[in-house]
Amino acid sequence: MRWPDEIRDPTELLPPPTEVSEDEIAGALALMDTMTVDRLEGPEFTDRYTEALVEIIEARREDKPLPAVEEPEQPAPVLDLMAALQESVSKVKASRGDAGPADVHELP
């Protein structure tokens, strides 16, 4: 719940109007045509979740044991997020050189 003075006018959120040329529109439409897929068929579009759920429902309905789950050949590697973050920070510091801490600027 919000008080009336906390609600912003949605027109404040509109982006500023811009001019778009006919070439830009034609380029955008050409890009959309090249990225469009007419048929969503093939192994990359298979809904494995729904298929597995249907198998479970059918097994429960017929009082059969639940289908076996395929175990992956190798477990997925576990990432140490803190180590990755520290490595990323050290790379940025190395790319900046010995510039010291980052500058903090006031937001408008």
Side-chain angles (χ1 to χ4, degrees):
M1 299 293 296
R2 302 218 181 255
W3 294 100
D5 63 331
E6 295 177 323
I7 299 174
R8 293 191 303 179
D9 183 19
T11 57
E12 295 175 12
L13 304 174
L14 292 175
T18 58
E19 294 292 323
V20 181
S21 69
E22 291 297 322
D23 291 337
E24 290 173 320
I25 292 173
L29 292 173
L31 178 63
M32 289 185 343
D33 286 340
T34 61
M35 298 178 75
T36 302
V37 177
D38 291 331
R39 293 180 172 248
L40 300 179
E41 296 175 353
E44 65 270 8
F45 297 110
T46 302
D47 184 4
R48 292 179 192 89
Y49 177 79
T50 302
E51 291 173 359
L53 190 60
V54 167
E55 288 179 20
I56 291 172
I57 292 170
E58 290 298 323
R60 290 283 180 129
R61 182 181 296 161
E62 298 171 7
D63 288 330
K64 293 182 179 178
L66 295 178
V69 178
E70 296 178 17
E71 293 293 329
E73 294 177 14
Q74 294 181 345
V78 177
L79 298 177
D80 183 0
L81 294 178
M82 196 61 183
L85 178 61
Q86 289 173 346
E87 180 182 346
S88 173
V89 168
S90 64
K91 284 181 183 178
V92 170
K93 285 182 179 179
S95 69
R96 282 195 314 200
D98 198 12
D103 295 332
V104 177
H105 302 282
E106 288 293 323
L107 292 175

